[in-house]
Amino acid sequence: MIIEENAVFHLYTEQYSYLLKINQYGIPEHLYFGPPVQTTDAAALSLRPGLGWGSSVLLEKGDPASCLDAMALEWSGSGRGDYREAPLELLGQSTDFRFTGSRIIEGSEPMACGLPQAHGGSQTLELTLAQPGARLKLYYTVFPTALVRRAVLENVGDAPIRLGKCMSFCLDLPGSSTMTSFHGGWITEMGRRDTPVQEAKVVCESRTGASSHRNNPGFLLSAPGANEEWGRVYGFNLIYSGNHYASAQRSLQGLTRVMQGVNPAEFCRELTPGDCFETPEAVLCVSDGGFGGLSQAMHRFVMEHIVPPYWKNRPRPVLFNSWEGCMFDFNQRRLLELAGKAKNLGCELFVLDDGWFGSRNDDHAGLGDYTVNRKKLPGGLTGLARKIRELGIDFGLWFEPESVNEDSDLFRAHPDWALTDDFSPVYGRNQLLLDLTKQEVRDHIVENVSNILDSAEISYVKWDMNRHSIALGSKAHDFILGLYEVLRRIFAPRPQILLETCSSGGNRFDLGMLCFGPQVWASDNTDPIERLRIQNGYSYLYPQSTMGAHVSAAPHAQTLRATPLSTRGNVAFFGCLGYELDLKHLLPVEVREIQAQIEFYKAYREIFQFGRFARTETGWQVSDGETTLVGVFHTLTHAAPGYEWLRVRGLENRTRYQVASLSQALRIGQFGSLLKHVAPVSIDPNGQLLRIADRHVTLPEGEEVLTVSGGALESGIPLPPLFRGTGYDKGQRNQGDFGSSLYIITEC
């Protein structure tokens, strides 16, 4: 809801209130963003500067309240006495936008520029500000758990305007805070960093042409002492997939100015009379329930208002991806063999990854071409898809449409379509980018990808992009608009196709891409111990239903770490489950274990994908209100470990619950010569007998079922002991390094 009383605007839901006012100088002042309050609180929430601060520049002589530098603002200009960072820069001139009017609009105000928008907003406040020759519109759209802001600058004068910067929002929040941002690189995405916000500006940005795995666009601001369950936390994210910028800076008066939008680096647009520039939408959330409360608000917003409506709460299939199993080395016979084995395991979707087109036998050739490699696939994609579907499993396909190899028919025909500059070409993974700012390039991609999708029964697309951009300069924003046009034209008419976007893993894990496809390949790193950190980072801003998570072979290609198959499954459960390994090498015990994993995941799939998520002291939990699933994860084992407690959040204190551990199998080969302590005969740890037995025989591990109150589980109950160097017991968790357990908690 939005109400206006005496130049005070109150935007509110059951979750939050957002108050601003238009002051006597026509400046929008920020009053409050937090848990619900009343409109009549506006006067008490307004800042009172008293005699002000010395050395102030005043809008009106003698009025200390007219110092822009000390106000809590909704937007700020430059050159008028506010020396904090400005959200808008017009090259060569100051800015001084003043309020001229407002509208309350039902629903959202559509954008004209092609940027994606959140859907399902209830009402939108439009504030109009103006200065000679220019008009600025600030939009605030109300959603149940989030407020979405954006800005539109219009040239209403007679001369061109040179725009150097225009943020999606600017906001001055009270008090000190810490910025939590998420950084990394290829195969090491989403590392959490906590930086105190002080007088020196803190910046989170990308300049790679993508939202980037270096610095994800989402970030948090938290009050001192905030933890998972307590304290004021603000969350911000951008519905955008290109170069982004966010900053936070504390003022002398104790206000934290935060803003976010398109990165102004190398950004310059000339607006001729009548032109306008629209910023991407920015998402603002707040919670007094700590980081956990903020994450749940963000998750709900993404699931209900970002992902395509067709995929809202629609279960994602368990898939098998061919890449780590065979890479470029495959033919139709091998693919059908893999598809049959994947179906036998319980997979529902077979995905053919890179290498199906042109002369694509490695990453030096073929990108840009869409002719099926008939040596590998004599029946083409149509024949392959039909044969795979006859096995009872759906078919999906990998594309990388934004890139081109010099060794391709496309490049030989249209070298001018590649994105280059006046210097020698710069390559990434032996490829160049296609110039998506050109209409003919966009038309070519749309036509060819659409023809492939319509030529066979394809139910899933993995859309990849494996290099950073160069030579974009001021075209960087237009490049992203071109990408959005391509995605919209291909997938809007085909909403039933499950689109999983990817850019060398999580290089483009952002809300912009999630508007076109409901999930993103979270990382090329499939080591579950690495994924604990990576998926944990994503969980602050993105729900688990957006994360592609696969079980791969161990030792893992990214770390050489060997991990238990049970842990690989337990980590991947907390996402969209898939498998990515050579199935012909699975042992009988592994086949049975994977079949059990998939059967379990399917039984609880909707809880894993759409349940209420929480980070815990020992791992993660998800719940639908009736059933709670808790993962307990370990890294390196230590000698003589102490007791460990299972703590579960969100239960009813007096309700009785059954706690059951998920049955897990222990491979006997992992015990080596220790088997002599429990076996009736002497066994050579390197002998053939143990190797044969290890293929077929497992030991039970740590199984238990008990009944307990919700209050006890909230406080924490002791778990069965970990291995302590004193022998085997079936009630003990004999896990060793990188072990894990999973618990199913249901009302009695």
Side-chain angles (χ1 to χ4, degrees):
M1 288 287 294
I2 303 173
I3 59 175
E4 187 269 332
E5 293 182 5
N6 301 319
V8 171
F9 295 90
H10 186 187
L11 300 82
Y12 65 94
T13 69
E14 293 182 358
Q15 303 297 316
Y16 67 85
S17 284
Y18 191 106
L19 280 89
L20 63 96
K21 72 176 182 180
I22 307 301
N23 68 19
Q24 66 192 73
Y25 301 104
I27 305 293
E29 282 193 52
H30 177 71
L31 301 181
Y32 177 82
F33 184 30
V37 295
Q38 297 180 12
T39 309
T40 53
D41 294 328
L45 291 167
S46 296
L47 295 177
R48 293 175 288 278
L51 294 176
W53 286 264
S55 190
S56 294
V57 174
L58 306 178
L59 290 178
E60 182 171 316
K61 184 179 179 180
D63 181 4
S66 68
C67 176
L68 288 173
D69 201 45
M71 292 182 188
L73 299 177
E74 290 287 315
W75 195 263
S76 179
S78 59
R80 302 294 293 167
D82 187 352
Y83 297 100
R84 296 167 292 180
E85 184 178 9
L88 175 66
E89 292 180 3
L90 302 182
L91 300 181
Q93 63 182 103
S94 300
T95 60
D96 188 15
F97 286 89
R98 305 293 181 99
F99 177 78
T100 62
S102 66
R103 285 195 304 156
I104 296 176
I105 305 163
E106 293 303 314
S108 300
E109 179 73 1
M111 300 175 75
C113 65
L115 285 166
Q117 281 187 275
H119 52 81
S122 59
Q123 287 183 308
T124 298
L125 171 64
E126 177 192 80
L127 298 181
T128 301
L129 295 81
Q131 69 175 32
R135 181 165 56 213
L136 180 69
K137 293 184 177 181
L138 305 180
Y139 290 96
Y140 303 72
T141 301
V142 176
F143 293 85
T145 63
L147 183 71
V148 170
R149 287 189 57 179
R150 65 184 177 95
V152 179
L153 179 68
E154 302 172 89
N155 185 343
V156 294
D158 299 324
I161 293 175
R162 295 182 64 213
L163 177 63
K165 175 184 181 182
C166 189
M167 294 288 99
S168 296
F169 78 93
C170 174
L171 179 61
D172 293 334
L173 295 168
S176 59
S177 60
T178 295
M179 176 188 275
T180 297
S181 51
F182 302 91
H183 309 273
W186 178 63
I187 68 173
T188 181
E189 295 89 344
M190 294 302 286
R192 174 178 168 170
R193 301 290 184 271
D194 295 322
T195 307
V197 177
Q198 298 177 342
E199 287 74 8
K201 184 168 60 177
V202 180
V203 171
C204 177
E205 65 175 341
S206 169
R207 299 178 63 174
T208 67
S211 51
S212 96
H213 39 37
R214 297 184 180 206
N215 303 288
N216 192 269
F219 66 100
L220 314 171
L221 293 178
S222 58
N227 58 28
E228 276 296 317
E229 299 175 79
W230 178 90
R232 176 76 53 89
V233 180
Y234 300 95
F236 306 91
N237 211 340
L238 201 61
I239 307 178
Y240 190 60
S241 308
N243 292 338
H244 61 84
Y245 175 91
S247 67
Q249 186 173 23
R250 189 175 185 271
S251 73
L252 171 66
Q253 291 76 26
L255 300 174
T256 296
R257 171 158 294 181
V258 57
M259 64 182 66
Q260 187 175 34
V262 175
N263 199 321
E266 299 183 340
F267 175 86
C268 181
R269 296 180 86 85
E270 182 172 278
L271 303 182
T272 58
D275 283 349
C276 72
F277 176 75
E278 294 186 273
T279 72
E281 290 188 328
V283 182
L284 289 70
C285 282
V286 65
S287 174
D288 272 3
F291 292 98
L294 187 283
S295 294
Q296 287 157 11
M298 278 287 194
H299 290 187
R300 181 179 167 190
F301 173 78
V302 173
M303 290 190 290
E304 295 186 2
H305 304 290
I306 290 293
V307 300
Y310 180 91
W311 288 100
K312 178 181 175 181
N313 297 325
R314 187 180 292 267
R316 318 287 196 262
V318 178
L319 67 82
F320 174 84
N321 183 288
S322 68
W323 179 247
E324 287 200 24
C326 51
M327 297 191 177
F328 295 106
D329 182 18
F330 61 82
N331 54 33
Q332 181 166 293
R333 179 192 57 77
R334 187 175 185 191
L335 295 178
L336 291 175
E337 178 185 355
L338 283 171
K341 291 181 181 296
K343 169 63 177 176
N344 180 58
L345 293 173
C347 294
E348 300 157 312
L349 169 66
F350 178 87
V351 178
L352 172 57
D353 210 280
D354 196 357
W356 55 266
F357 51 88
S359 54
R360 187 73 168 170
N361 297 308
D362 53 39
D363 64 7
H364 289 78
L367 278 182
D369 297 337
Y370 294 91
T371 304
V372 177
N373 187 322
R374 293 282 175 164
K375 290 183 180 180
K376 295 181 179 181
L377 306 174
L381 290 174
T382 303
L384 176 65
R386 183 178 65 252
K387 289 179 180 295
I388 285 177
R389 293 181 73 90
E390 287 173 354
L391 296 172
I393 187 170
D394 288 340
F395 178 65
L397 193 61
W398 178 96
F399 291 87
E400 190 172 354
E402 300 164 65
S403 295
V404 65
N405 290 124
E406 284 190 333
D407 184 3
S408 68
D409 292 339
L410 179 64
F411 186 85
R412 284 184 281 271
H414 298 285
D416 57 308
W417 285 9
L419 188 64
T420 59
D421 51 25
D422 296 330
F423 302 97
S424 59
V426 177
Y427 298 92
R429 207 191 181 209
N430 305 300
Q431 63 198 51
L432 300 169
L433 287 180
L434 291 170
D435 189 349
L436 298 188
T437 67
K438 295 182 176 181
Q439 187 65 55
E440 61 269 29
V441 174
R442 301 196 296 272
D443 291 343
H444 175 83
I445 295 172
V446 170
E447 178 183 2
N448 281 276
V449 174
S450 298
N451 287 342
I452 292 291
L453 295 179
D454 294 339
S455 72
E457 294 183 84
I458 295 171
S459 61
Y460 162 100
V461 166
K462 181 180 178 183
W463 184 290
D464 207 348
M465 197 274 274
N466 282 301
R467 66 155 294 166
H468 298 313
S469 69
I470 58 101
L472 281 172
S474 61
K475 297 197 299 184
H477 182 64
D478 292 322
F479 185 94
I480 295 300
L481 293 179
L483 170 62
Y484 289 150
E485 178 193 315
V486 168
L487 292 171
R488 188 176 289 110
R489 290 170 62 189
I490 293 173
F491 294 102
R494 303 169 180 86
Q496 78 284 357
I497 293 179
L498 173 57
L499 172 62
E500 181 175 62
T501 57
C502 170
S503 182
S504 294
N507 187 50
R508 216 158 51 183
F509 202 121
D510 59 69
L511 298 182
M513 298 306 287
L514 286 170
C515 285
F516 297 94
Q519 64 192 58
V520 181
W521 179 228
S523 176
D524 283 345
N525 193 337
T526 52
D527 180 328
I529 305 307
E530 294 289 299
R531 274 299 188 107
L532 285 174
R533 178 188 55 78
I534 293 168
Q535 291 174 215
N536 198 71
Y538 283 123
S539 74
Y540 284 91
L541 297 156
Y542 306 96
Q544 62 275 17
S545 61
T546 64
M547 304 179 204
H550 294 180
V551 173
S552 64
H556 297 285
Q558 302 82 22
T559 60
L560 290 180
R561 179 185 288 125
T563 61
L565 182 54
S566 57
T567 294
R568 287 176 258 163
N570 290 343
V571 172
F573 287 162
F574 289 86
C576 297
L577 177 65
Y579 289 80
E580 192 166 344
L581 66 168
D582 194 341
L583 301 180
K584 71 181 179 184
H585 297 310
L586 291 179
L587 301 177
V589 291
E590 294 174 317
V591 170
R592 293 197 303 269
E593 187 169 356
I594 291 176
Q595 288 172 332
Q597 285 180 347
I598 294 176
E599 181 180 5
F600 172 77
Y601 183 78
K602 288 178 179 178
Y604 295 98
R605 169 171 22 204
E606 295 192 29
I607 303 175
F608 276 121
Q609 293 182 357
F610 307 114
R612 185 182 177 98
F613 177 92
R615 294 171 293 272
T616 69
E617 292 87 346
T618 54
W620 304 320
Q621 72 172 58
V622 287
S623 177
D624 66 354
E626 296 181 358
T627 300
T628 301
L629 307 167
V630 183
V632 176
F633 302 102
H634 301 101
T635 52
L636 294 179
T637 296
H638 300 284
Y643 293 113
E644 187 175 30
W645 280 262
L646 175 68
R647 184 186 174 206
V648 184
R649 296 176 183 157
L651 303 180
E652 295 294 330
N653 191 64
R654 297 182 180 275
T655 301
R656 301 291 293 177
Y657 294 89
Q658 176 182 279
V659 180
S661 61
L662 176 63
S663 177
Q664 296 185 162
L666 294 174
R667 295 272 299 278
I668 63 173
Q670 75 185 68
F671 292 99
S673 62
L674 295 177
L675 285 175
K676 67 185 179 183
H677 298 297
V678 295
V681 296
S682 177
I683 297 178
D684 180 356
N686 299 309
Q688 184 176 4
L689 177 61
L690 182 58
R691 289 197 297 271
I692 294 173
D694 189 45
R695 296 171 59 90
H696 300 277
V697 179
T698 60
L699 294 171
E701 185 261 338
E703 297 180 23
E704 70 169 349
V705 178
L706 55 88
T707 301
V708 65
S709 72
L713 281 167
E714 287 271 4
S715 296
I717 62 171
L719 291 172
L722 292 165
F723 180 74
R724 295 173 179 170
T726 54
Y728 168 78
D729 183 273
K730 65 180 181 180
Q732 182 172 273
R733 292 180 293 156
N734 301 280
Q735 295 173 351
D737 286 347
F738 317 120
S740 64
S741 304
L742 201 142
Y743 297 90
I744 305 101
I745 300 161
T746 54
E747 292 187 21
C748 293

